[in-house]
Amino acid sequence: MGILIVDDEPDMRETLRVLLQLHGYSDIHCAVDGRDALHFLASNGPPIDLILTDIRMPGLSGIDVCKFVKNSPHLHDIPVLIHTALSDEPMLARAFAAGAHDFLPKPVGRIELLARVRAALDLKGELDRHRARERKLVEVTRKLERSNAKLRRLSVVDELTGISNRRYFNLLFRQEWSRASREQLPLSLIISDIDSFKNFNDQYGHPAGDRCLERVARTLSSFIHRSGDAVCRYGGEEFVILLANTDLQGARTVAEALRAAVEELKLENLGSPSGRVTISVGVACTLPQPDCSADAFLAAADRALYRAKSNGRNRVEVSACTVDRVPVDELAIAK
């Protein structure tokens, strides 16, 4: 362990150095005064575990050395032993106030020197172990936080397409429904389904079907940018898009853009009447009321999707409704 001896008297420096070396302390460094000690400590040189310093020195005193050590974050834990005459009580009090760990009375006795050095080094070793445990705990905590964040992300992300999954949609849908109800804002829902997807899988195989799902998911996601909106894989070849604070006209415009964008991918699907991969889209919009049901609103969008599938696919069906009531307007937009 590294020991720094600070003393302006060459004989005292040599005495302390020889005594310590005779008892197994080999990593010993010397400074001729306080200024020399501060230069050594600030130079990022060999690690120091204990400082032995005279209290009275020309220029910077041992108290100044102690203050420097205790005010330096990377040196703070190094114990400082002050050696001075027992009669120098005021200076000794100032040294302890500056953060000195212990003192050695002059003249320095061998037994007392070794006992106090050993005690100080034991303290430093315990502090180092404590700091290492703290660092390890911080590292483990950070790793755990990263792992938990990854698990949270994986729990709401669809593994195949990389977009949000149904679990995330359920959470966000309830959240946005409550907000829209509280603030009386319109909320729109779009449900889309890849047309003739079973035929696609039968024709091209499931790996190609997975790639098709990925392409469609990326295309749908490219239209969604606001924080309250989301594109989620609802299940199988079905996707759901939640549009916060969006009226019927806005949702209808988005839905038609999504339908056209998927068609423009020009992905072959010989099992579909059009010969391409297309989607059918159902849209619902509402202004939630106290007696409204989020489940009924979701069902309204699902019914609109069913009409789109029944009416020829590759089209958008829109239902503007007050949920738990009969829809007040149903419009169809054909390709």
Side-chain angles (χ1 to χ4, degrees), residues 195-196 263 267 269-278 312 314 335:
D195 297 323
S196 306
E263 187 177 27
L267 298 177
N269 182 7
L270 297 180
S272 170
S274 67
R276 293 181 180 178
V277 171
T278 58
N314 191 23
K335 175 186 173 186

Side-chain angles (χ1 to χ4, degrees), residues 3-7 12-18 20 28-33 37 50-54 83:
I3 299 175
L4 175 63
I5 299 171
V6 188
D7 203 302
M12 179 57 72
R13 289 199 305 271
E14 184 63 15
T15 297
L16 292 172
R17 186 186 65 79
V18 170
L20 292 172
I28 298 175
H29 309 271
C30 294
V32 298
D33 54 28
L50 174 64
I51 297 172
L52 292 172
T53 179
D54 191 7
H83 52 90

Side-chain angles (χ1 to χ4, degrees), residues 10-323:
D11 290 344
M12 179 57 72
R13 289 199 305 271
E14 184 63 15
T15 297
L16 292 172
R17 186 186 65 79
V18 170
L19 280 173
L20 292 172
Q21 284 185 334
L22 285 174
H23 290 84
Y25 299 104
S26 57
D27 190 13
I28 298 175
H29 309 271
C30 294
V32 298
D33 54 28
R35 191 173 302 278
D36 189 29
L38 266 56
H39 178 75
F40 179 90
L41 293 169
S43 66
N44 295 320
I48 297 299
D49 300 288
L50 174 64
I51 297 172
L52 292 172
T53 179
D54 191 7
I55 199 168
R56 291 182 179 275
M57 292 180 291
L60 297 179
S61 68
I63 294 175
D64 294 322
V65 172
C66 191
K67 288 180 179 178
F68 176 82
V69 169
K70 298 307 171 183
N71 289 328
S72 301
H74 65 293
L75 303 173
H76 182 270
D77 290 340
I78 300 176
V80 179
L81 291 183
I82 297 284
H83 52 90
T84 184
L86 284 172
S87 60
D88 206 357
E89 291 186 1
M91 288 289 285
L92 194 58
R94 288 177 56 198
F96 281 122
H101 167 72
D102 204 348
F103 80 99
L104 288 166
K106 289 183 177 181
V108 178
R110 180 180 64 86
I111 294 177
E112 190 166 15
L113 168 68
L114 296 175
R116 292 181 188 262
V117 165
R118 187 179 306 111
L121 289 174
D122 287 346
L123 173 65
K124 180 60 166 54
E126 183 58 37
L127 285 173
D128 288 346
R129 288 188 290 273
H130 177 71
R131 297 289 188 227
R133 287 193 296 268
E134 283 185 338
R135 289 192 295 271
K136 185 65 175 179
L137 181 59
V138 169
E139 180 184 351
V140 170
T141 300
R142 287 175 178 168
K143 286 182 178 179
L144 182 60
E145 289 174 349
R146 289 195 295 269
S147 296
N148 286 337
K150 183 178 180 179
L151 287 174
R152 286 193 297 270
R153 187 184 68 81
L154 291 175
S155 72
V156 296
V157 171
D158 179 62
E159 184 177 1
L160 174 63
T161 62
I163 66 173
S164 300
N165 61 15
R166 185 168 182 166
R167 180 175 184 273
Y168 178 79
F169 168 74
N170 290 336
L171 294 171
L172 185 64
F173 180 46
R174 300 299 172 179
Q175 174 185 308
E176 290 301 320
W177 177 268
S178 296
R179 187 168 73 91
S181 178
R182 183 175 61 252
E183 301 178 12
Q184 282 300 281
L185 298 170
L187 185 66
S188 291
L189 197 60
I190 299 173
I191 300 181
S192 67
D193 184 273
I194 299 178
D195 297 323
S196 306
F197 190 67
K198 181 179 184 303
N199 294 341
F200 184 96
N201 276 331
D202 292 342
Q203 179 84 25
Y204 303 100
H206 287 282
D210 288 347
R211 291 191 294 272
C212 176
L213 287 169
E214 291 180 71
R215 290 287 303 277
V216 171
R218 285 201 304 270
T219 300
L220 299 180
S221 296
S222 67
F223 284 82
I224 305 303
H225 306 291
R226 300 184 307 173
S227 60
D229 300 341
V231 177
C232 308
R233 186 181 179 192
Y234 199 61
E237 66 271 24
E238 199 168 72
F239 299 89
V240 61
I241 297 94
L242 184 65
L243 301 174
N245 193 17
T246 302
D247 61 15
L248 177 61
Q249 184 59 46
R252 181 162 49 190
T253 300
V254 171
E256 179 58 27
L258 295 174
R259 185 207 61 76
V262 172
E263 187 177 27
E264 284 301 312
L265 291 175
K266 298 181 180 179
L267 298 177
E268 182 183 270
N269 182 7
L270 297 180
S272 170
S274 67
R276 293 181 180 178
V277 171
T278 58
I279 59 173
S280 295
V281 186
V283 181
C285 177
T286 192
L287 188 68
Q289 301 299 320
D291 60 343
C292 285
S293 162
D295 290 335
F297 177 50
L298 184 59
D302 201 48
R303 287 195 302 271
L305 172 63
Y306 180 78
R307 288 197 305 274
K309 303 288 281 189
S310 300
N311 291 338
R313 299 184 176 89
N314 191 23
R315 61 190 292 123
V316 175
E317 291 279 352
V318 179
S319 175
C321 62
T322 53
V323 295

